[in-house]
């Protein structure tokens, strides 16, 4: 039987809106180490204050960013394995995170980084990591690898009068996960990598540690809630926050989310550890059922809107999230489609089956990007 995933950790903060751990400095951001198993530690970034102003942070209870470090060692077959970092945070925690990571991973280590969500902020952090750990390599889904390559050379132009930025590090090797696959870790641990694409996160990649039953679910099942404790104290303590996160980001892509949840129901899970918020050990089955139930309520709506978008830097996607939540609250089903990654047949089916369309686009050089132009052409022909 796999060992328990209940480490001797601090009790949850009684008021999640206050600084984690009861710090007297309200709003103090920090990174803590939470040991889970021998050779496995959670590096948790805590932000007691509201981190950003997107609708998903609207409950204003702070947030966390959960990363998971599997230490270097020897696999069950005797082969050496490097340290593996699952789900790095964004640049908000960079300096604090690097300091915590450096306590275990030396600068010359062949560090592997499993990227569960790929966006400009995450790629910026990977570039900074590649400078500190030059032997770094990246593990990403097929769509995630495409995004990493596209975004690696992109950065904002310097402000007028500012010094030229330092040269970018070379793009690290990318291990592309095209389908579900297992990889050995140190000792008895083994990591199963599960692509979980959605319109909002086309490069989403989950990681499941087979020996302990720990599902590192990336954005799925998250809650923006600041807490030192690795696990939630009980289901009711986080239910509102997880439902809010679902309504803001998951509901507009309920069909794709339901497909992912259906796959997860087949896994021998013992604990779910999302990217944001405390882990779920005692009530994870109920949470999967909640995701199913919440998705069914979306499907029952009599009217539907197809929300087509592309997003160069994440801003258009954030606006799309806000619009989707507003429309969904009126009782209208929303289907979000990222035109850059959606197959043509999905786009056509959504256009034919909806009662209205919303289209969002960035401007690149004064023009809409090709995926949006193609989508508009499809709308006109249909």
């Amino acid at each position: 039987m796999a060992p328990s995933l209940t480490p001797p950790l601090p009790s949850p903060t009684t008021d999640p809106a206050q600084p984690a751990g009861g710090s007297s400095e309200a709003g103090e951001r920090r990174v803590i180490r939470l040991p889970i198993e021998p050779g496995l530690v959670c590096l948790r970034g805590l932000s007691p204050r509201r981190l950003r102003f997107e609708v998903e942070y609207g409950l204003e209870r702070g947030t966390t960013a959960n990363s998971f470090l599997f230490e270097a060692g020897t696999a069950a077959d005797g082969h050496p394995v490097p340290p593996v970092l699952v789900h790095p945070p964004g640049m908000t925690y960079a300096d604090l995170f690097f300091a915590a990571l450096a306590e275990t991973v030396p600068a010359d280590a062949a560090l592997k980084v499993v990227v569960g969500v790929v966006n400009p902020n995450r790629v910026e952090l990977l570039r900074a990591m590649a400078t500190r750990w030059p032997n770094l390599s990246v593990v990403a889904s097929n769509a995630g690898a495409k995004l990493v390559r596209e975004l690696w050379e992109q950065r904002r132009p310097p402000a007028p009068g500012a010094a030229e930025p330092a040269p970018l590090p070379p793009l690290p090797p990318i291990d592309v996960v095209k389908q579900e696959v297992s990889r050995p870790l140190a000792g008895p641990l083994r990591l199963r990598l599960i692509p979980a694409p959605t319109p909002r996160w086309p490069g989403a990649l989950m990681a499941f540690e087979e020996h302990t039953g720990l599902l590192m679910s990336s954005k799925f099942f998250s809650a923006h809630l600041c807490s030192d404790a690795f696990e939630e104290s009980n289901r009711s303590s986080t239910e509102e926050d997880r439902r809010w996160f679902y309504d803001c980001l998951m509901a507009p892509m309920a069909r794709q989310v339901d497909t992912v949840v259906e796959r997860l129901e087949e896994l021998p899970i013992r604990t779910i550890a999302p990217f944001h918020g405390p882990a779920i050990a005692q009530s994870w089955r109920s949470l999967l059922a909640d995701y199913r139930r919440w998705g069914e309520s979306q499907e029952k709506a009599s009217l539907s809107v197809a929300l087509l978008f592309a997003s160069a830097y994440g801003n258009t996607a954030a606006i799309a999230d806000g619009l989707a939540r507003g429309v969904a609250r009126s009782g209208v089903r929303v289907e979000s489609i990222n035109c850059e990654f959606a197959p043509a047949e999905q786009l056509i089916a959504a256009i034919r089956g909806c009662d209205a369309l919303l289209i969002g686009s960035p401007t690149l050089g004064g023009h809409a990007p090709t995926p949006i132009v193609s989508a508009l052409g499809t709308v006109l022909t249909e």
Side-chain angles (χ1 to χ4, degrees), residues 163-196:
E164 284 294 320
L168 293 175
L171 178 69
I174 303 178
D175 179 3
V176 180
V177 178
K178 296 184 178 180
Q179 57 188 2
E180 196 169 315
V181 66
S182 292
R183 302 281 168 79
L185 297 167
L189 306 182
R190 190 170 183 86
L191 197 64
R192 189 182 304 181
L193 300 170
I194 307 171

Side-chain angles (χ1 to χ4, degrees), residues 334-379:
V334 182
E335 182 174 2
S336 288
I337 297 178
N338 187 331
C339 295
E340 187 174 358
F341 296 95
E345 57 271 19
Q346 179 189 0
L347 187 62
I348 292 171
I351 293 170
R352 289 176 176 174
C354 70
D355 298 290
L357 285 167
L358 283 171
I359 303 177
S361 173
T363 54
L364 304 177
H367 302 281
T370 301
I372 290 296
V373 174
S374 299
L376 287 170
T378 303
V379 171

Side-chain angles (χ1 to χ4, degrees), residues 1-365:
M1 180 179 293
S4 171
L5 276 174
T6 307
L9 300 174
S11 299
T13 35
T14 55
D15 182 357
Q18 298 301 316
S23 170
S24 60
E25 297 183 35
E28 179 185 3
R29 196 169 290 152
R30 55 198 178 98
V31 171
I32 59 175
R33 298 171 62 89
L34 301 176
I36 302 174
E37 288 284 317
L40 170 58
V41 63
C42 173
L43 299 177
R44 171 171 289 177
L46 297 117
S47 182
R49 296 279 186 167
R50 178 170 177 160
L51 186 62
R52 297 168 70 181
F53 289 93
E54 281 93 339
V55 64
E56 62 176 289
Y57 295 89
L59 295 183
E60 301 193 36
R61 294 174 182 168
T63 192
T64 65
N66 299 315
S67 302
F68 304 89
L69 177 64
F70 294 87
E71 297 176 2
T74 304
D77 61 3
H79 286 83
V81 292
V84 176
L85 177 69
V86 177
H87 301 162
M91 283 298 289
T92 302
Y93 301 97
D95 292 339
L96 294 168
F97 182 78
F98 290 164
L101 184 61
E103 293 180 17
T104 305
V105 182
D108 60 351
L111 176 63
K112 283 194 172 185
V113 181
V114 178
V115 187
V117 171
V118 180
N119 55 33
N121 188 28
R122 202 71 79 251
V123 172
E124 186 179 358
L125 181 109
L126 290 175
R127 289 197 299 250
M129 288 188 71
T131 301
R132 296 277 300 268
W133 286 272
N135 294 322
L136 175 143
S137 62
V138 173
V139 181
S141 69
N142 201 27
K146 177 177 182 289
L147 284 169
V148 170
R149 294 188 184 104
E150 290 177 353
L151 295 170
W152 192 263
E153 299 292 334
Q154 295 184 18
R155 56 182 177 184
R156 300 184 187 280
E164 284 294 320
L168 293 175
L171 178 69
I174 303 178
D175 179 3
V176 180
V177 178
K178 296 184 178 180
Q179 57 188 2
E180 196 169 315
V181 66
S182 292
R183 302 281 168 79
L185 297 167
L189 306 182
R190 190 170 183 86
L191 197 64
R192 189 182 304 181
L193 300 170
I194 307 171
T198 63
R200 184 69 172 86
W201 304 292
L205 186 64
M206 293 187 183
F208 177 66
E209 201 293 295
E210 298 173 354
H211 178 69
T212 58
L214 177 67
L215 175 67
M216 292 151 280
S217 61
S218 188
K219 293 284 188 175
F220 280 71
F221 315 116
S222 285
H224 287 305
L225 179 69
C226 190
S227 169
D228 282 31
F230 177 65
E231 298 175 3
E232 63 182 10
S233 55
N234 53 64
R235 181 184 179 190
S236 61
S237 66
T238 64
E239 186 172 10
E240 179 187 9
D241 304 273
R242 298 194 194 282
R243 178 61 193 263
W244 179 271
F245 190 94
Y246 180 95
D247 287 345
C248 290
L249 297 181
M250 298 291 176
M253 47 192 190
R255 290 179 181 176
Q256 294 90 343
V257 170
D258 190 61
T259 299
V260 174
V261 171
E262 184 177 357
R263 169 66 189 98
L264 298 181
E265 288 175 337
E266 301 172 1
L267 296 175
I269 296 169
R270 296 192 63 180
T271 300
I272 295 178
F275 185 65
H276 302 293
I280 309 103
Q282 304 302 320
S283 60
W284 64 265
R285 290 182 180 83
S286 296
L287 184 55
L288 262 63
D290 285 342
Y291 261 54
R292 288 277 209 172
R293 177 167 51 84
W294 298 337
E296 289 171 359
S297 67
Q298 290 289 312
E299 292 297 320
K300 292 177 181 177
S302 58
L303 297 176
S304 66
V305 169
L307 198 164
L308 316 181
F309 71 93
S311 190
Y313 295 101
N315 298 318
T316 307
I319 295 171
D321 291 339
L323 288 171
R325 175 167 171 77
V327 172
R329 291 182 69 179
S330 69
V332 176
R333 180 172 63 82
V334 182
E335 182 174 2
S336 288
I337 297 178
N338 187 331
C339 295
E340 187 174 358
F341 296 95
E345 57 271 19
Q346 179 189 0
L347 187 62
I348 292 171
I351 293 170
R352 289 176 176 174
C354 70
D355 298 290
L357 285 167
L358 283 171
I359 303 177
S361 173
T363 54
L364 304 177

